[in-house]
């Protein structure tokens, strides 16, 4: 039995390659990142001091924090550089037609 539910986050046309888009789901901000390897979704808050990553830069598969410059891999949320040492959450998404869908257990 499938207990997954889907939630439309955005259109693929809303996010140019190399850009990000912040969306809110149930009061939590999720950052969708459009990389050469596809779309990935991560928590919008840096694990170091809670800066909003939507104000940082996407470089390849990395999102750079605007406050102290930590880098995170958007594919798995891992912290790549100091001062961050804790990974950020990632969210499972998929593209269906033009839609970017958040898949969550329910
Ligand atoms: S708040 Fe992101 S590196 Fe400090």
């Amino acid at each position: 039995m499938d207990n997954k539910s889907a939630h439309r986050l955005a259109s693929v046309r809303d996010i140019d390659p190399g850009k990000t888009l912040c969306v809110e789901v149930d009061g939590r901000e999720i950052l969708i990142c459009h990389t050469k390897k596809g779309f990935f979704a991560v928590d919008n808050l840096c694990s170091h001091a809670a800066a909003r990553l939507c104000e940082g830069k996407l470089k390849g598969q990395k999102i750079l924090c605007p406050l102290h410059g930590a880098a995170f891999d958007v594919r798995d949320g891992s912290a790549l550089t100091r001062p961050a040492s804790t990974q950020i959450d990632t969210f499972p998404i998929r593209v269906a037609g033009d839609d970017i869908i958040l898949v969550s257990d329910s």
Side-chain angles (χ1 to χ4, degrees), residues 15-86:
I15 316 171
D16 289 334
K19 300 295 183 187
T20 63
L21 179 72
C22 181
V23 297
E24 189 176 316
V25 178
D26 296 332
R28 184 170 189 183
E29 290 186 346
I30 295 175
L31 189 67
I32 306 169
C33 304
H34 188 175
T35 78
K36 282 186 181 163
K37 298 198 183 232
F39 290 90
F40 298 92
V42 297
D43 195 340
N44 192 40
L45 294 181
C46 179
S47 62
H48 177 238
R52 296 176 79 227
L53 295 174
C54 61
E55 295 167 6
K57 282 204 166 105
L58 182 65
K59 282 198 163 182
Q61 319 303 312
K62 299 180 206 169
I63 186 77
L64 306 180
C65 178
L67 196 53
H68 307 113
F72 298 90
D73 189 322
V74 300
R75 296 170 293 185
D76 63 6
S78 58
L80 300 173
T81 61
R82 295 169 73 87
S85 57
T86 304

